Amino acid sequence: MAEPVLASIHVYPVKAAQGHALRAAVVEPWGLAGDRRWMLIDASAKAITQRPHPRLALTAVEALPDGGVRLSAPGREPLTVAVPDPPGTTVVDIWKDKVEAVPADEAAHVWCSEWLDTDARLVHMADPAMSRPIDPAHARAGETVSFADGYPLLLTTRSSLDALNSLIAQGDHADEGPLPMDRFRPNVVVEGSPPWAEDDWTRVAVGDLTFRVAKRCGRCVVTTTDQRTAERGKEPLRTLARHRRFGDQLVFGQNLVPETTGVLRVGDPVTILE
């Protein structure tokens, strides 16, 4: 088998909305530049995700050079949202973390609320260097993360997806497969490694940059959501439950924490350091 390489890079400017692929991306201590610096919150200031709102999968986001975003969705006029003024911070709740964020303007509130048919306000994380520590059980002092679920980057591998799709084809919901990689919303996708080899990685280099593998990624109902239609099925959770259960989690992929910063490029060699 060929040496592993970085096959693709993905960023999601607004948490839970559509992402897009890049040929290169800057790695910051808290993740890829521009990744999940925006998030939607409900009336109680809790994070809104695809778990209760699969329609978020249909929300396209264009990242603008100044850090703003342009939102679009089926049947709606696009909306350009500027980075809000930092003095207007509010405290939001993401997976029990209390994080300072800055609400976008009223036009964004109206647009998002009408699209999701619920009270939804768009907020921006002004300073990820200070805002949200990583779970101390899997972090070192001072490590922070953006509005990602828990860790700066998520790594998946093409060979493991192929292996998973083979298992789905043998199951009772074979008609749902093969699944595309976008079900798992990774940041970096590796090709050229054996299936499930990433389970045992603890430290990797991608090009000139190094990353600590923090923990395996437990998967949720979002993976059953077709990212192109927002419709839900049973897979891959049905198959992960049979073949990829680690403790109380159904696992696909690994969470990474950067040890160094710089630029990742598609085609970079991937070296397993430990």
Side-chain angles (χ1 to χ4, degrees):
M1 181 172 287
E3 291 299 312
V5 298
L6 181 58
S8 61
I9 303 169
H10 307 266
V11 297
Y12 309 86
V14 176
K15 181 180 178 64
Q18 288 181 11
H20 55 269
L22 301 174
R23 296 296 301 174
V26 173
V27 176
E28 300 172 330
W30 40 84
L32 299 182
D35 186 56
R36 298 177 174 95
R37 291 287 296 276
W38 296 85
M39 182 176 72
L40 289 164
I41 58 171
D42 63 18
S44 61
K46 291 184 178 180
I48 294 176
T49 72
Q50 285 188 33
R51 292 167 176 83
H53 293 282
R55 189 185 290 186
L56 272 170
L58 306 181
T59 310
V61 183
E62 177 187 355
L64 303 178
D66 62 358
V69 289
R70 184 172 171 83
L71 308 177
S72 59
R76 298 196 60 79
E77 288 294 322
L79 178 71
T80 297
V81 185
V83 174
D85 191 8
T89 57
T90 188
V91 176
V92 302
D93 186 346
I94 173 171
W95 312 142
K96 299 181 181 180
D97 290 337
K98 303 298 183 182
V99 182
E100 284 195 354
V102 189
D105 60 24
E106 185 64 18
H109 182 200
V110 172
W111 194 97
C112 295
S113 297
E114 290 179 350
W115 167 233
L116 295 180
D117 195 26
T118 189
D119 191 332
R121 184 171 291 278
L122 188 64
V123 298
H124 182 257
M125 180 181 282
D127 186 6
M130 301 295 293
S131 296
R132 185 181 174 214
I134 298 173
D135 180 352
H138 302 282
R140 295 171 182 169
E143 290 180 335
T144 61
V145 63
S146 65
F147 285 135
D149 271 4
Y151 298 89
L153 288 90
L154 172 63
L155 175 150
T156 60
T157 70
R158 286 186 175 172
S159 60
S160 294
L161 179 62
D162 290 343
L164 178 62
N165 277 324
S166 294
L167 293 171
I168 290 173
Q170 301 166 30
D172 52 3
H173 293 279
D175 58 312
E176 294 188 23
L179 301 182
M181 189 64 84
D182 65 6
R183 291 292 187 94
F184 301 95
R185 299 175 64 81
N187 292 114
V188 289
V189 180
V190 172
E191 67 179 359
S193 59
W196 314 122
E198 66 274 17
D199 286 348
D200 299 319
W201 298 350
T202 59
R203 190 165 173 265
V204 300
V206 184
D208 296 329
L209 308 186
T210 60
F211 300 85
R212 188 178 81 256
V213 180
K215 67 181 292 291
R216 298 182 177 109
C217 185
R219 311 314 304 222
C220 70
V221 70
V222 171
T223 59
T224 70
T225 308
D226 188 318
Q227 296 295 298
R228 293 166 177 80
T229 66
E231 296 177 356
R232 283 194 168 142
K234 299 294 185 181
E235 295 291 0
L237 292 186
R238 184 66 62 90
T239 296
L240 291 176
R242 291 173 175 167
H243 299 279
R244 297 285 300 165
R245 186 183 292 277
F246 291 76
D248 61 353
Q249 293 193 322
L250 310 182
V251 168
F252 188 90
Q254 288 275 23
N255 291 295
L256 305 183
V257 180
E259 293 183 333
T260 56
T261 59
V263 179
L264 292 180
R265 295 177 176 85
V266 170
D268 279 347
V270 177
T271 304
I272 313 310
L273 301 175
E274 297 176 14

